[in-house]
Amino acid sequence: MSSFKEKIDKTNLPKHIAVIMDGNGRWAQERGFDRIFGHQNGVTSVRETTETAAEIGIQYLTLYAFSTENWSRPQEEVDALMELLIDTIEKETPTLDKNNVRLMAIGDLSRLPGNASEKLQRCIAKTSQNTGLSLVLALSYSSRWEITNALKMICTEVMAGNYSTDEINEELISNHMTTKSIPDPDLLIRTSGEERISNFLLWQLAYTELYFTKIHWPAFRKENLYEAIYEFQQRERRFGK
Ligand code: IPE
Ligand code: IPE
Ligand code: MG
């Protein structure tokens, strides 16, 4: 069986891939473990996906790690996810740095526990000069939160007289999103068989190609990423033209 890796056209790679990493809980429960075991195993998939994206020359990889709505999960699960976040960032920072990966984060980071946000900011600062893959973690992120925030900022600036309402255009709105320096995703992957967006990048996904796979996140491997990229390359993007 030939690998999708060989079938990929290296001259037509998506510049930005976004991933809704879903299915951790189901993956674990199907195996008789608790949901947290699924989150722990999801870290391997994060590592493989990041490595592969860096290796083949993807410029931006955005991973939806924790949504605003996920704060409403049982406290025990939220705590476990935060702990996993801290541990993973701590352990992976040297490897990310060695591989020239730049870490970024989007979301309402003020809601993260102090030690998580401290570790995160330290890794972001340490890797900020790297020129390879930009790995963007969406943490305590939701698109409606982001759009609401953007509106507040724009209203404040209009009221301060910095510009008039006539000057509000798509570019200005994009520049008030948390993704302001990041191009829109070309490809969105969602694992676990759910076919919905779950409050992720609603503004930025306007012309993104959507790819859904039944594979649960902890089982997602390099070959699955190659397959998604291959499938993306078979599509015709028309952008309404
Ligand atoms: C995705 O897996 C991880 C997070 C949302 C943090 P889930 O925890 O949503 O797992 P399922 O979808 O319930 O199986
Ligand atoms: C989306 O998954 C959020 C993340 C992957 C972080 P959810 O599991 O929270 O979304 P729903 O509840 O299935 O829509
Ligand atoms: Mg889920």
Side-chain angles (χ1 to χ4, degrees), residues 20-29 35 39 64-67 70 73 77 81 190-192 194 196 216-218:
I20 302 177
M21 309 185 287
D22 198 19
N24 293 355
R26 279 166 285 165
W27 181 88
Q29 281 166 338
R35 298 175 50 84
H39 299 314
Y64 201 5
F66 195 86
S67 74
N70 290 153
R73 292 194 179 190
E77 185 173 346
L81 280 164
R190 183 171 187 148
T191 59
S192 90
E194 307 298 352
R196 56 176 169 260
H216 290 316
W217 180 248

Side-chain angles (χ1 to χ4, degrees), residues 3-147:
S3 156
F4 282 101
K5 186 180 182 182
E6 280 104 59
K7 293 194 195 158
I8 288 176
D9 175 2
K10 290 278 169 51
T11 67
N12 178 30
L13 291 169
K15 193 172 182 180
H16 181 180
I17 300 177
V19 186
I20 302 177
M21 309 185 287
D22 198 19
N24 293 355
R26 279 166 285 165
W27 181 88
Q29 281 166 338
E30 281 166 15
R31 284 158 184 77
F33 296 101
D34 62 37
R35 298 175 50 84
I36 291 163
F37 184 69
H39 299 314
Q40 289 163 342
N41 278 272
V43 176
T44 309
S45 309
V46 169
R47 200 180 294 122
E48 283 220 3
T49 303
T50 306
E51 262 175 34
T52 309
E55 208 175 277
I56 62 178
I58 303 296
Q59 293 180 39
Y60 293 88
L61 174 68
T62 300
L63 302 178
Y64 201 5
F66 195 86
S67 74
T68 305
E69 289 76 19
N70 290 153
W71 288 115
S72 308
R73 292 194 179 190
Q75 193 57 44
E76 189 188 71
E77 185 173 346
V78 172
D79 291 346
L81 280 164
M82 290 301 136
E83 202 173 307
L84 199 57
L85 174 70
I86 296 166
D87 281 3
T88 307
I89 291 172
E90 180 114 88
K91 280 201 199 103
E92 300 294 329
T93 299
T95 315
L96 291 177
D97 199 31
K98 199 183 82 206
N99 293 332
N100 199 20
V101 175
R102 170 174 67 149
L103 187 74
M104 300 169 81
I106 57 171
D108 187 0
L109 306 177
S110 68
R111 291 187 72 179
L112 295 177
N115 47 353
S117 110
E118 191 191 307
K119 293 261 151 66
L120 182 67
Q121 293 307 337
R122 212 180 294 163
C123 182
I124 289 173
K126 180 135 185 23
T127 61
S128 67
Q129 300 305 312
N130 290 344
T131 55
L133 173 73
S134 294
L135 172 63
V136 186
L137 293 184
L139 286 168
S140 187
Y141 174 89
S142 80
S143 198
R144 288 186 174 181
W145 162 81
E146 173 179 54
I147 292 168

Side-chain angles (χ1 to χ4, degrees), residues 126-235:
K126 180 135 185 23
T127 61
S128 67
Q129 300 305 312
N130 290 344
T131 55
L133 173 73
S134 294
L135 172 63
V136 186
L137 293 184
L139 286 168
S140 187
Y141 174 89
S142 80
S143 198
R144 288 186 174 181
W145 162 81
E146 173 179 54
I147 292 168
T148 306
N149 224 28
L151 262 174
K152 283 185 194 164
M153 286 191 273
I154 292 169
C155 286
T156 307
E157 288 162 16
V158 168
M159 287 194 309
N162 296 350
Y163 43 83
S164 70
T165 48
D166 284 344
E167 288 173 279
I168 298 174
N169 56 23
E170 291 187 12
E171 193 191 346
L172 184 122
I173 296 173
S174 292
N175 285 336
H176 286 78
M177 297 292 169
T178 58
T179 50
K180 58 175 167 291
S181 59
I182 302 170
D184 289 342
D186 302 292
L187 169 64
L188 172 80
I189 299 171
R190 183 171 187 148
T191 59
S192 90
E194 307 298 352
E195 301 191 351
R196 56 176 169 260
I197 303 297
S198 301
N199 216 348
F200 190 43
L201 302 174
L202 298 176
W203 171 267
Q204 297 87 342
L205 293 176
Y207 273 104
T208 302
E209 294 296 327
L210 309 180
Y211 177 86
F212 300 102
T213 169
K214 290 206 158 51
I215 295 166
H216 290 316
W217 180 248
F220 194 86
R221 289 292 171 268
K222 293 187 175 201
E223 186 63 9
N224 303 116
L225 180 63
Y226 293 135
E227 183 172 4
I229 295 172
Y230 176 75
E231 161 74 29
F232 164 83
Q233 292 180 334
Q234 307 315 303
R235 301 201 188 163

